[in-house]
Short mmCIF file of all heavy atoms in Angstrom, two decimals:
data_model
loop_
_atom_site.label_atom_id
_atom_site.label_comp_id
_atom_site.label_asym_id
_atom_site.label_seq_id
_atom_site.Cartn_x
_atom_site.Cartn_y
_atom_site.Cartn_z
N PHE U 42 3.10 -20.35 20.75
CA PHE U 42 4.45 -19.82 20.84
C PHE U 42 4.82 -19.53 22.29
O PHE U 42 3.98 -19.06 23.06
CB PHE U 42 4.58 -18.51 20.04
CG PHE U 42 4.12 -18.64 18.62
CD1 PHE U 42 2.81 -18.35 18.26
CD2 PHE U 42 4.99 -19.07 17.63
CE1 PHE U 42 2.37 -18.46 16.95
CE2 PHE U 42 4.56 -19.20 16.31
CZ PHE U 42 3.25 -18.89 15.98
N ASP U 43 6.08 -19.79 22.66
CA ASP U 43 6.59 -19.36 23.95
C ASP U 43 6.84 -17.86 23.87
O ASP U 43 7.30 -17.37 22.84
CB ASP U 43 7.92 -20.06 24.28
CG ASP U 43 7.73 -21.55 24.56
OD1 ASP U 43 6.67 -21.91 25.08
OD2 ASP U 43 8.66 -22.31 24.25
N THR U 44 6.57 -17.14 24.96
CA THR U 44 6.79 -15.69 24.94
C THR U 44 7.94 -15.25 25.82
O THR U 44 8.40 -14.12 25.71
CB THR U 44 5.52 -14.93 25.35
OG1 THR U 44 5.12 -15.35 26.65
CG2 THR U 44 4.40 -15.17 24.36
N ASP U 45 8.39 -16.11 26.73
CA ASP U 45 9.51 -15.75 27.60
C ASP U 45 10.10 -17.02 28.20
O ASP U 45 9.68 -18.12 27.88
CB ASP U 45 9.07 -14.76 28.70
CG ASP U 45 7.97 -15.30 29.60
OD1 ASP U 45 7.84 -16.54 29.75
OD2 ASP U 45 7.22 -14.49 30.16
N ASP U 46 11.07 -16.86 29.09
CA ASP U 46 11.70 -18.04 29.70
C ASP U 46 11.05 -18.41 31.04
O ASP U 46 11.62 -19.15 31.82
CB ASP U 46 13.21 -17.80 29.88
CG ASP U 46 13.51 -16.58 30.73
OD1 ASP U 46 12.57 -15.91 31.21
OD2 ASP U 46 14.71 -16.28 30.91
N GLN U 47 9.83 -17.91 31.27
CA GLN U 47 9.14 -18.19 32.53
C GLN U 47 7.87 -19.00 32.32
O GLN U 47 6.99 -19.03 33.16
CB GLN U 47 8.84 -16.88 33.26
CG GLN U 47 10.12 -16.15 33.59
CD GLN U 47 9.87 -14.78 34.21
OE1 GLN U 47 8.75 -14.33 34.36
NE2 GLN U 47 10.95 -14.12 34.54
N GLY U 48 7.76 -19.66 31.16
CA GLY U 48 6.62 -20.54 30.91
C GLY U 48 5.40 -19.85 30.33
O GLY U 48 4.37 -20.50 30.14
N ASN U 49 5.47 -18.56 30.03
CA ASN U 49 4.32 -17.88 29.43
C ASN U 49 4.26 -18.21 27.94
O ASN U 49 5.27 -18.49 27.30
CB ASN U 49 4.41 -16.38 29.65
CG ASN U 49 4.20 -16.04 31.11
OD1 ASN U 49 3.21 -16.46 31.71
ND2 ASN U 49 5.12 -15.31 31.69
N GLU U 50 3.05 -18.22 27.42
CA GLU U 50 2.84 -18.60 26.04
C GLU U 50 1.70 -17.81 25.42
O GLU U 50 0.93 -17.16 26.12
CB GLU U 50 2.52 -20.09 25.96
CG GLU U 50 1.25 -20.48 26.70
CD GLU U 50 1.00 -21.97 26.72
OE1 GLU U 50 1.32 -22.65 25.72
OE2 GLU U 50 0.45 -22.46 27.72
N VAL U 51 1.63 -17.88 24.11
CA VAL U 51 0.53 -17.30 23.36
C VAL U 51 -0.01 -18.36 22.42
O VAL U 51 0.76 -19.14 21.84
CB VAL U 51 0.94 -16.01 22.60
CG1 VAL U 51 2.01 -16.29 21.58
CG2 VAL U 51 -0.25 -15.34 21.94
N VAL U 52 -1.34 -18.44 22.32
CA VAL U 52 -2.01 -19.39 21.44
C VAL U 52 -2.95 -18.59 20.55
O VAL U 52 -3.67 -17.70 21.03
CB VAL U 52 -2.80 -20.44 22.25
CG1 VAL U 52 -3.69 -21.28 21.34
CG2 VAL U 52 -1.85 -21.33 23.03
N PHE U 53 -2.94 -18.91 19.25
CA PHE U 53 -3.88 -18.31 18.32
C PHE U 53 -4.91 -19.37 17.96
O PHE U 53 -4.56 -20.50 17.66
CB PHE U 53 -3.15 -17.83 17.06
CG PHE U 53 -2.30 -16.62 17.29
CD1 PHE U 53 -0.99 -16.76 17.71
CD2 PHE U 53 -2.81 -15.34 17.11
CE1 PHE U 53 -0.18 -15.65 17.95
CE2 PHE U 53 -2.02 -14.22 17.34
CZ PHE U 53 -0.71 -14.37 17.76
N MET U 54 -6.19 -18.98 18.04
CA MET U 54 -7.29 -19.89 17.72
C MET U 54 -8.20 -19.22 16.70
O MET U 54 -8.35 -17.99 16.72
CB MET U 54 -8.07 -20.23 18.99
CG MET U 54 -7.21 -20.92 20.04
SD MET U 54 -8.14 -21.56 21.42
CE MET U 54 -8.91 -23.00 20.66
N GLN U 55 -8.80 -20.03 15.82
CA GLN U 55 -9.59 -19.46 14.74
C GLN U 55 -10.90 -20.20 14.54
O GLN U 55 -10.96 -21.43 14.66
CB GLN U 55 -8.79 -19.49 13.44
CG GLN U 55 -9.46 -18.77 12.29
CD GLN U 55 -8.56 -18.70 11.08
OE1 GLN U 55 -8.01 -19.71 10.65
NE2 GLN U 55 -8.40 -17.50 10.54
N TYR U 56 -11.93 -19.43 14.20
CA TYR U 56 -13.23 -19.95 13.76
C TYR U 56 -13.65 -19.08 12.59
O TYR U 56 -13.79 -17.85 12.75
CB TYR U 56 -14.25 -19.88 14.89
CG TYR U 56 -15.59 -20.46 14.51
CD1 TYR U 56 -15.83 -21.82 14.63
CD2 TYR U 56 -16.61 -19.66 14.03
CE1 TYR U 56 -17.05 -22.37 14.27
CE2 TYR U 56 -17.83 -20.19 13.66
CZ TYR U 56 -18.05 -21.54 13.78
OH TYR U 56 -19.26 -22.09 13.43
N GLY U 57 -13.83 -19.68 11.43
CA GLY U 57 -14.10 -18.86 10.24
C GLY U 57 -12.92 -17.93 10.02
O GLY U 57 -11.78 -18.36 10.02
N HIS U 58 -13.20 -16.64 9.86
CA HIS U 58 -12.08 -15.70 9.71
C HIS U 58 -11.79 -14.93 11.00
O HIS U 58 -10.95 -14.04 11.01
CB HIS U 58 -12.31 -14.76 8.51
CG HIS U 58 -13.06 -13.52 8.81
ND1 HIS U 58 -14.41 -13.50 8.97
CD2 HIS U 58 -12.63 -12.26 8.98
CE1 HIS U 58 -14.80 -12.26 9.23
NE2 HIS U 58 -13.74 -11.48 9.24
N LEU U 59 -12.43 -15.32 12.12
CA LEU U 59 -12.19 -14.68 13.40
C LEU U 59 -11.06 -15.40 14.13
O LEU U 59 -11.13 -16.60 14.38
CB LEU U 59 -13.45 -14.70 14.27
CG LEU U 59 -13.32 -14.13 15.67
CD1 LEU U 59 -12.86 -12.67 15.64
CD2 LEU U 59 -14.63 -14.25 16.42
N THR U 60 -10.01 -14.66 14.46
CA THR U 60 -8.86 -15.22 15.16
C THR U 60 -8.74 -14.58 16.53
O THR U 60 -8.91 -13.36 16.68
CB THR U 60 -7.56 -14.97 14.36
OG1 THR U 60 -7.70 -15.58 13.07
CG2 THR U 60 -6.35 -15.55 15.06
N LEU U 61 -8.45 -15.40 17.53
CA LEU U 61 -8.20 -14.94 18.89
C LEU U 61 -6.73 -15.13 19.22
O LEU U 61 -6.15 -16.15 18.86
CB LEU U 61 -9.03 -15.74 19.89
CG LEU U 61 -10.54 -15.77 19.68
CD1 LEU U 61 -11.18 -16.68 20.73
CD2 LEU U 61 -11.13 -14.37 19.73
N GLU U 62 -6.15 -14.16 19.89
CA GLU U 62 -4.80 -14.28 20.44
C GLU U 62 -4.99 -14.39 21.95
O GLU U 62 -5.50 -13.46 22.59
CB GLU U 62 -3.96 -13.05 20.10
CG GLU U 62 -2.59 -13.07 20.77
CD GLU U 62 -1.84 -11.76 20.64
OE1 GLU U 62 -2.50 -10.69 20.56
OE2 GLU U 62 -0.61 -11.79 20.64
N ILE U 63 -4.59 -15.51 22.53
CA ILE U 63 -4.78 -15.75 23.97
C ILE U 63 -3.40 -15.97 24.57
O ILE U 63 -2.62 -16.76 24.06
CB ILE U 63 -5.67 -17.00 24.19
CG1 ILE U 63 -7.02 -16.81 23.46
CG2 ILE U 63 -5.87 -17.25 25.68
CD1 ILE U 63 -7.78 -18.10 23.25
N TRP U 64 -3.10 -15.27 25.67
CA TRP U 64 -1.76 -15.40 26.24
C TRP U 64 -1.78 -15.36 27.76
O TRP U 64 -2.73 -14.90 28.37
CB TRP U 64 -0.82 -14.31 25.71
CG TRP U 64 -1.11 -12.94 26.22
CD1 TRP U 64 -0.56 -12.33 27.32
CD2 TRP U 64 -2.04 -12.00 25.69
NE1 TRP U 64 -1.08 -11.07 27.48
CE2 TRP U 64 -1.99 -10.85 26.49
CE3 TRP U 64 -2.91 -12.03 24.60
CZ2 TRP U 64 -2.77 -9.73 26.25
CZ3 TRP U 64 -3.69 -10.90 24.36
CH2 TRP U 64 -3.61 -9.79 25.18
N THR U 65 -0.71 -15.91 28.33
CA THR U 65 -0.50 -15.89 29.77
C THR U 65 0.59 -14.88 30.11
O THR U 65 1.37 -14.50 29.25
CB THR U 65 -0.09 -17.29 30.29
OG1 THR U 65 1.12 -17.68 29.64
CG2 THR U 65 -1.17 -18.32 30.04
N GLY U 66 0.61 -14.48 31.36
CA GLY U 66 1.69 -13.61 31.84
C GLY U 66 1.26 -12.22 32.22
O GLY U 66 1.94 -11.56 33.01
N ASP U 67 0.15 -11.74 31.68
CA ASP U 67 -0.31 -10.39 32.02
C ASP U 67 -1.47 -10.39 33.01
O ASP U 67 -1.85 -9.35 33.51
CB ASP U 67 -0.74 -9.63 30.76
CG ASP U 67 0.44 -9.23 29.90
OD1 ASP U 67 1.55 -9.10 30.43
OD2 ASP U 67 0.24 -9.05 28.69
N GLY U 68 -2.04 -11.56 33.25
CA GLY U 68 -3.17 -11.65 34.17
C GLY U 68 -4.48 -11.29 33.50
O GLY U 68 -4.56 -10.33 32.75
N ALA U 69 -5.49 -12.09 33.77
CA ALA U 69 -6.83 -11.83 33.24
C ALA U 69 -7.55 -10.83 34.13
O ALA U 69 -7.33 -10.79 35.34
CB ALA U 69 -7.62 -13.13 33.16
N VAL U 70 -8.44 -10.05 33.55
CA VAL U 70 -9.17 -9.01 34.28
C VAL U 70 -10.34 -9.60 35.06
O VAL U 70 -10.69 -9.12 36.13
CB VAL U 70 -9.67 -7.91 33.31
CG1 VAL U 70 -10.51 -6.88 34.01
CG2 VAL U 70 -8.48 -7.25 32.62
N HIS U 71 -10.97 -10.64 34.53
CA HIS U 71 -12.10 -11.32 35.17
C HIS U 71 -13.31 -10.42 35.41
O HIS U 71 -13.97 -10.51 36.45
CB HIS U 71 -11.67 -12.00 36.48
CG HIS U 71 -10.69 -13.10 36.27
ND1 HIS U 71 -11.04 -14.33 35.79
CD2 HIS U 71 -9.34 -13.14 36.45
CE1 HIS U 71 -9.97 -15.10 35.69
NE2 HIS U 71 -8.91 -14.40 36.08
#
Side-chain angles (χ1 to χ4, degrees):
F42 307 92
D43 291 328
T44 58
D45 59 26
D46 58 1
Q47 298 175 358
N49 291 307
E50 61 185 325
V51 62
V52 170
F53 289 87
M54 300 189 74
Q55 187 173 50
Y56 183 85
H58 88 283
L59 177 58
T60 301
L61 304 177
E62 175 190 30
I63 303 162
W64 71 93
T65 59
D67 288 336
V70 176
H71 295 284

